[in-house]
């Protein structure tokens, strides 16, 4: 298949392939690693509700908008906006997306590297020797403080990402998702049962599910919104790019609901694994990025066949992380391939190398650079905060305004209905896209400012 520029682009083979790939992009470290730790930092239950509200009220409509733009134009975000509104400044959404993709991938690969390392450490039995729960945390802390190990695993994860994206759309991406998605859900359910039956588990469940709105600040609301964009891979054109590989037969509305539903399920399950174990081990839920990696070995060690369980878990998490990181690299690469006419291999390898270098300070943020401050944060936190809490919501709000007011919800509706029978709930969607999404993001930015 070729697009308007006559370039060779891939297409999804099957409907399920597309849904799985989009869900693969969404489900990743954001659900399993980031969601529990920021929920812990933001007081638990009330934050979970805010996150769900953002995902349903803002995430769903924007995801559908991105898919629609992508399928309409069959182009990367920059090209797509240029095509829909030639010569206008709306194309900044595309450029911001490429920038956000670059920034996110730079530290995403660092955490992806942690999963690779934890596969190795499971296999050589380093994770099942802890005398007490605190030791698991100490072990992880000294691991992430080691500069050589950090950079090495960061490089390994980036190399894996590059290797998959090299093969193009269905060669690599589609296949990787088939096994991972159901597998990850199943193993999280098993771990959840173990976690919930640990002594003292209920205190953690209460923290996680009982909403105490007294703990919510403007910053928490911003983080909940940022997290909704981050876990659903929205606000930077990733779903425009994936939608651009779609053929006309897909049902965009039901694909959207499926992708969001599955992502929320994985996030909520991850919380039900982590918090009961946190209270069992008498750890602090506010620990931050290391929370999940410090807590999981505690759960594994209280199961039969701990080595097997932890290896399988980290392998699945690695695949989940890879199906996300490839979508980040794909956005960046698609821009160079479509707009600058680079060859796929060149775009992927050059940008992979650049992003790897950009990620080195993040890789060192838990060790040699842990005291370096960028606007009061470590480099890792700074890049994460900039990209996830600001660039993504801003890109998403602009996308909503573009579709709602400039391109027009009528045009979008036509595209949705091009092959499927009817766009149900189109009025609700139009309302959310035109009013709710832009206003919510603007209000949250303003609240954070004052
Ligand atoms: N959604 C992924 C996760 O939760 C991360 C991710 C992949 C992403 N592609 C994205 C985030 C695009 C924002 C935009 O792990």
């Amino acid at each position: 298949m070729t697009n308007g520029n006559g370039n060779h682009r891939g297409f999804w083979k099957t409907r399920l392939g597309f849904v799985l790939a989009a869900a693969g992009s969404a489900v990743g470290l954001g659900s399993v690693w980031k969601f529990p730790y920021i929920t812990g930092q933001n007081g638990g239950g009330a934050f979970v509700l805010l996150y769900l509200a953002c995902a349903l009220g803002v995430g769903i409509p924007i995801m559908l908008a991105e898919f629609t733009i992508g399928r309409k134009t069959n182009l990367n975000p920059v090209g797509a906006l240029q095509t829909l509104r030639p010569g206008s400044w709306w194309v900044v959404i595309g450029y911001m997306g490429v920038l956000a993709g670059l920034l996110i991938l730079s530290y995403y690969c660092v955490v992806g590297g942690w999963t690779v390392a934890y596969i190795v450490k499971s296999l050589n039995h380093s994770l099942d020797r802890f005398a007490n729960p605190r030791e698991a945390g100490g072990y992880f802390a000294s691991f992430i403080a080691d500069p050589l190990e950090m950079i090495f695993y960061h490089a390994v994860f980036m190399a894996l990402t590059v290797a998959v994206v090299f093969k193009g759309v269905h060669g690599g991406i589609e296949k990787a998702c088939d096994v991972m998605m159901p597998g990850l859900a199943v193993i999280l359910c098993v771990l959840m049962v173990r976690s919930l039956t640990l002594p003292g588990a209920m205190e953690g469940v209460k923290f996680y599910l009982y909403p105490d709105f007294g703990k919510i600040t403007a910053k928490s609301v911003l983080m909940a919104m940022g997290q909704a964009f981050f876990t659903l891979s929205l606000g930077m054109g990733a779903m425009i790019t994936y939608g651009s590989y779609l053929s006309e037969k897909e049902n965009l509305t039901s694909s959207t609901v499926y992708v969001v539903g599955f992502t929320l399920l994985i996030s909520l399950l991850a919380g039900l694994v982590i918090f009961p174990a946190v209270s069992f081990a008498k750890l602090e839920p506010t620990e931050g990025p290391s929370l999940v990696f410090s807590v999981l070995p505690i759960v594994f060690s209280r199961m039969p066949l701990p080595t097997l369980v932890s290896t399988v878990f980290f392998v699945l998490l690695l695949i989940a992380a890879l199906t996300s990181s490839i979508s980040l690299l794909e956005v960046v690469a698609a821009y160079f391939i479509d707009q600058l006419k680079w060859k796929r291999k060149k775009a992927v390898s050059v940008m992979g190398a650049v992003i790897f270098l950009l990620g080195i300070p993040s890789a060192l943020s838990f060790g040699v650079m842990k005291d370096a401050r960028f606007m009061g944060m470590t480099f890792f936190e700074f890049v994460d905060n900039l990209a996830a809490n600001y660039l993504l919501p801003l890109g998403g709000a602009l996308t909503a305004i573009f579709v709602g007011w400039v391109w027009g919800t009528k045009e979008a509706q036509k595209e949705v209905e091009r092959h499927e029978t009817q766009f149900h709930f189109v009025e609700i969607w139009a309302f959310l896209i035109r009013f709710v999404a832009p206003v919510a993001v603007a209000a949250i930015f303003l609240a954070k400012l004052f």
Side-chain angles (χ1 to χ4, degrees), residues 24-32 101 104 108 227 229-239 263 320-321 323-325 327-328 331 392:
S25 163
V27 173
L29 297 168
S31 295
V32 179
I104 294 177
Y108 204 86
Q227 177 67 3
F229 280 94
F230 188 86
T231 35
L232 297 174
S233 302
L234 298 176
M236 57 154 277
M239 294 306 187
T263 310
T323 55
S324 303
S325 64
S327 78
L328 290 160
V331 172
L392 296 182

Side-chain angles (χ1 to χ4, degrees), residues 3 28-29 41 49 54 87 101 154 161 163-164 173 180 197 213 226 238 246 295 327 331 346-347 383 404 424 437:
N3 65 6
L29 297 168
Q41 284 180 329
L49 286 183
C54 294
H154 169 45
T161 304
V164 186
I173 303 181
M180 181 279 299
T197 49
F213 284 96
L246 265 171
V295 167
S327 78
V331 172
K346 174 178 164 197
V383 179
H424 299 290

Side-chain angles (χ1 to χ4, degrees), residues 339-396:
Q339 301 303 120
L340 303 182
K341 307 283 178 266
W342 285 20
K343 292 258 178 307
R344 172 169 279 274
K345 291 213 155 109
K346 174 178 164 197
V348 172
S349 45
V350 170
M351 291 324 289
V354 168
I355 297 168
F356 166 73
L357 293 175
L358 184 68
I360 289 180
S362 291
L364 302 177
S365 284
F366 303 89
V368 283
M369 283 180 58
K370 80 172 179 301
D371 297 319
R373 281 292 174 276
F374 302 81
M375 298 184 73
M377 294 168 267
T378 64
F379 190 82
F380 180 101
E381 289 165 339
F382 173 73
V383 179
D384 178 33
N385 184 50
L386 173 66
N389 297 339
Y390 292 94
L391 287 178
L392 296 182
L394 184 61

